[in-house]
Amino acid sequence: MKIAVLLGFIGFAVLQLAPAPYQIATAPVVTAQSVTSDPAVPQPVVAIVRRSCMDCHSYETRLPWYGKVAPSSWMLAKDVTEARAAMNLSDWGRKKAPVQAALAAAMCQGVQSGRMPKQRYVLLHPEAKLSPAEVQTFCAWSDAALASLTRSAPPRP
Ligand code: HEC
């Protein structure tokens, strides 16, 4: 029994030295580019994405302790890498209005369907779950973003 525990510890220690298959890229956060700085995004929506999305979908990842030890750190890094590739809210300000509107619509769909935030994240961060009212707030924003886009489109020749 003692041997098993010892071997377990050694295995765990060796794992920490193994090369990580995924690594969380660090990048300087340019606050002005972040979705949190966009005056067109209502504050309640900013609060929701900050709480429920930005750990994965931005450079502002807050790493929990299990994000620093293998092998959970690898799974976490994979999630964050893929999430940023799909949508990085730290780059929001670099996107054109139509892209932002499309992202807003995709975000609304994600929260409406319950696919986002990821179930495995909600298990560890119960506070990240959106209430039905918050889903509505979110989708009202994405609808408005799409609507303002069609309003501001140049008149057809
Ligand atoms: C645990 C990490 C994690 C969290 C938290 C998270 N996402 Fe994601 N998200 C991902 C990953 C990984 C992908 C990449 C593709 C996939 O697995 O669907 C993704 C993809 C997406 C996409 C791209 C297209 C799609 O629908 O698959 C959107 C939009 C999205 N997430 C919105 C959100 C929103 C909105 C929130 C917060 C309410 C959120 N996500 C929270 C990990 C996360």
Side-chain angles (χ1 to χ4, degrees):
M1 183 57 203
K2 272 186 194 150
I3 296 275
V5 172
L6 187 65
L7 285 179
F9 272 121
I10 293 174
F12 182 76
V14 169
L15 211 54
Q16 305 313 311
L17 304 173
Y22 284 89
Q23 237 149 16
I24 299 186
T26 46
V29 177
V30 185
T31 311
Q33 302 278 10
S34 170
V35 70
T36 58
S37 303
D38 184 346
V41 182
Q43 277 311 305
V45 172
V46 167
I48 297 169
V49 290
R50 211 192 263 291
R51 187 188 88 215
S52 305
C53 319
M54 290 185 72
D55 272 343
C56 295
H57 287 286
S58 81
Y59 290 134
E60 293 181 58
T61 306
R62 295 164 295 185
L63 266 195
W65 65 265
Y66 49 83
K68 294 173 189 149
V69 290
S72 48
S73 59
W74 302 349
M75 299 176 216
L76 217 127
K78 181 174 191 284
D79 250 4
V80 171
T81 306
E82 290 177 0
R84 287 176 182 170
M87 175 183 72
N88 190 337
L89 295 172
S90 295
D91 282 348
W92 178 260
R94 289 204 200 112
K95 306 269 191 274
K96 296 218 158 68
V99 177
Q100 292 178 341
L103 285 175
M107 286 194 259
C108 158
Q109 255 181 16
V111 294
Q112 225 167 23
S113 64
R115 272 188 313 114
M116 293 291 155
K118 295 264 180 203
Q119 204 50 48
R120 50 184 178 272
Y121 180 82
V122 176
L123 276 175
L124 294 160
H125 305 261
E127 76 288 352
K129 197 171 167 47
L130 272 68
S131 69
E134 286 175 323
V135 171
Q136 266 190 2
T137 305
F138 215 95
C139 292
W141 161 63
S142 84
D143 288 351
L146 279 177
S148 78
L149 203 63
T150 35
R151 265 203 308 279
S152 62
R156 280 186 221 177

